[in-house]
Amino acid sequence: MTTFVLAGGCFWCLDAVYQRTRGVHAVLSGYQGGHTSNPDYRQVCSGTSGHAEVVAVIFDEQTVPADVILDMFFTVHDPTTLNRQGYDVGTQYRSAMFPLDENQRGVFEASMRKYAALYPGPIVTTIEESKDFYPAEQVHQDYYSENQEVGYCRVIIDPKLAKVRKYYAQWLNEN
């Protein structure tokens, strides 16, 4: 199994995508990259903890290649907007990747180079040191599946899922 820790705005969006991806065994929403130990959602949302909302995606590369996981990451969020994704603004919503080793760092750097050529603006995604990962509260785990009728899910997440279905349908578990 391979684990990628990725931040691309609100963790609910990335979680919704990867929960539906073939070969992904688990997705854990959490917080990483800050200076506060054991932060909670309120602390992270305040922007004072330094943490980003992240997902740890645990997947089988024999079923879904790492580059597909990263392609989805760069497709579902805008890596050219600094510290914001849509209406979510602040460093907690930054675009970031947290490599677990030097090999992953190289994979992440190559992916960023690939996408830098595809976006009209510069990529602002950061590659940050992998510090402690703090799991988010249970209410944030698989949020979309549990709350599909909530306005945020319908207005923000549904269009992202539609985009993923359009480009990556062969990698999804959905019928």
Side-chain angles (χ1 to χ4, degrees):
M1 291 292 148
T2 301
T3 300
F4 283 171
V5 180
L6 306 169
C10 177
F11 46 33
W12 297 341
C13 297
L14 291 175
D15 176 78
V17 168
Y18 293 124
Q19 289 286 355
R20 288 154 180 74
T21 302
R22 212 168 16 94
V24 171
H25 287 265
V27 182
L28 184 61
S29 293
Y31 314 115
Q32 190 160 333
H35 50 78
T36 302
S37 295
N38 298 308
D40 62 25
Y41 186 68
R42 189 175 301 250
Q43 288 172 307
V44 173
C45 284
S46 74
T48 60
S49 72
H51 290 286
E53 289 190 12
V54 301
V55 291
V57 183
I58 303 163
F59 64 100
D60 179 355
E61 286 192 71
Q62 298 299 312
T63 304
V64 60
D67 62 333
V68 171
I69 297 294
L70 294 173
D71 287 349
M72 288 177 165
F73 171 70
F74 281 106
T75 299
V76 82
H77 86 290
D78 182 352
T80 67
T81 57
L82 185 62
N83 299 329
R84 104 173 283 145
Q85 288 298 308
Y87 299 109
D88 295 327
V89 179
T91 58
Q92 66 273 29
Y93 302 114
R94 66 188 178 269
S95 177
M97 307 164 98
F98 297 86
L100 301 180
D101 58 34
E102 285 306 309
N103 181 59
Q104 260 189 25
R105 179 179 293 280
V107 169
F108 290 171
E109 289 171 349
S111 186
M112 285 178 51
R113 283 191 300 274
K114 172 184 172 181
Y115 277 88
L118 300 176
Y119 276 93
I123 300 284
V124 297
T125 305
T126 56
I127 296 179
E128 301 182 22
E129 179 185 349
S130 284
K131 298 178 184 176
D132 293 331
F133 174 91
Y134 299 101
E137 298 80 354
Q138 187 58 41
V139 68
H140 300 295
Q141 307 303 330
D142 201 11
Y143 184 86
Y144 179 81
S145 293
E146 301 297 323
N147 298 281
Q148 290 182 30
E149 298 305 316
V150 171
Y152 187 92
C153 293
R154 299 187 105 188
V155 173
I156 304 298
I157 299 175
D158 281 349
K160 291 180 183 216
L161 284 173
K163 190 175 186 181
V164 169
R165 286 182 188 109
K166 178 179 178 181
Y167 295 112
Y168 302 101
Q170 72 273 24
W171 298 106
L172 300 178
N173 289 322
E174 300 177 320
N175 294 328

